[in-house]
Amino acid sequence: MVNSSVSSAAAVDGGRPDPVAISAAAAGPVGYEQQVPVTPFPAAQQWLEQAAAAAPGGSRKMSEFGGGGRWRIEVPTVNSADVAQALLEGAQHKGLTINRITETAGMMVHTAEEISRYVSICAEHGVQLLMSIGPRATYDIGAAARTPEGARNGLRLRGGDQLEHAIADVQRGLELGVRGFVVYDEGLLMTLGILRDQKTIPADVHLKVSAHCGHGNPASMMLLAGLGADSINPVRDLPINHLASLRAAVAVPLDVHVDNPKSSGGFVRVMDVPRIVEAASPVHLKTGNGVMEGHGLAPTPQQVQGMLQRVQLTTEAMHRYRPDWAQSPNHVAVGV
């Protein structure tokens, strides 16, 4: 069962999250090694409750995706249409369900023909396609992003010109049939969220916040959901109790890494998968790119096979330890 401290962390006023439940959820689901603590900071908790009551984007309303199922499989770093085709055909051959793939190099480095192939391949397999918005700090001419100190700023946009370039990249993607975008900058997220509310961009556009934005606490989750995020990838190394506190704060799906490239830790959390789903559902289990050396690279055929193995390991872990919790099927609406 889902921890009552998580699932009951619903509303205070107007559907806003209950910070007391958020704090209680930080201990993790009942039965885990930690038990729910009594906060030693009641005054801080009171302020959090006051702020959360007015925060946009917050509330805990569901533990399943809109089309059913508590978990989905997401494979990131699928950085060519050939890799997408090999990966999805390989999954079909093995009887595995991949619910969505994420391209991370950026749309602007792909030709129109390549992007159209992505769209066609994913439509054929009933898989959600997310493509990264290309303009970002590491592609800009500024040197700061390549320094240890500048890297702390993530991949955020620099200046008005780069913001315009990012919007132009989205416009091009929309024209080619892309309906899911990975966003690396909070200002761009706000802009796209407003344009969607104004019906300038289609209502079915899905906006995913990248882990490179560096968010990992309940208040940040509420901020991003209020700006228009449809799913949020928190920082990659959060323990179960931290994931539970994020879920208590927002209803949008969380995207949680099961494995990771060496460049960002190289951890493998297959045995944590049932706990991740219990604490964070609805959740995308991100798996596969742990076979890579780093982010933004193009997987080799051998690495594609490694990605499929990671998908199979994650799927087997759920089937073995929590067969009662269904994976969300494909060919259903992918936006929650």
Side-chain angles (χ1 to χ4, degrees), residues 106-285:
M107 287 180 294
M108 73 178 192
V109 303
H110 296 294
T111 65
E113 180 183 4
E114 178 94 354
I115 294 173
S116 296
R117 281 192 63 210
Y118 267 111
V119 172
S120 177
I121 290 165
C122 288
E124 178 184 349
H125 290 271
V127 171
Q128 184 183 26
L129 169 65
L130 296 176
M131 299 200 76
S132 293
I133 298 171
R136 60 189 72 168
T138 49
Y139 287 157
D140 195 16
I141 61 174
R146 297 168 182 82
T147 68
E149 289 299 319
R152 299 175 190 270
N153 297 327
L155 302 181
R156 291 177 177 86
L157 302 174
R158 196 171 71 106
D161 286 350
Q162 202 170 54
L163 182 61
E164 289 180 1
H165 296 167
I167 293 172
D169 206 31
V170 171
Q171 290 173 329
R172 177 171 176 259
L174 289 171
E175 292 169 3
L176 294 169
V178 180
R179 289 297 181 269
F181 300 96
V182 184
V183 183
Y184 296 86
D185 183 279
E186 297 86 351
L188 177 61
L189 173 66
M190 180 194 71
T191 302
L192 295 175
I194 291 172
L195 290 170
R196 186 174 57 185
D197 289 343
Q198 294 175 340
K199 300 183 177 8
T200 302
I201 63 177
D204 63 347
V205 164
H206 183 102
L207 302 175
K208 166 190 166 77
V209 177
S210 169
H212 290 283
C213 285
H215 293 285
N217 67 71
S220 290
M221 298 299 109
M222 289 185 282
L223 171 68
L224 296 171
L227 292 177
D230 298 297
S231 66
I232 303 170
N233 203 141
V235 290
R236 299 174 178 86
D237 58 352
L238 295 180
I240 302 297
N241 59 322
H242 289 180
L243 292 173
S245 72
L246 304 188
R247 170 48 64 223
V250 293
V252 299
L254 300 178
D255 310 332
V256 178
H257 284 264
V258 176
D259 53 68
N260 226 34
K262 292 179 180 179
S263 64
S264 50
F267 57 75
V268 180
R269 303 184 71 179
V270 173
M271 299 305 292
D272 270 344
V273 162
R275 288 181 169 185
I276 290 172
V277 173
E278 181 171 9
S281 65
V283 60
H284 291 98
L285 299 172

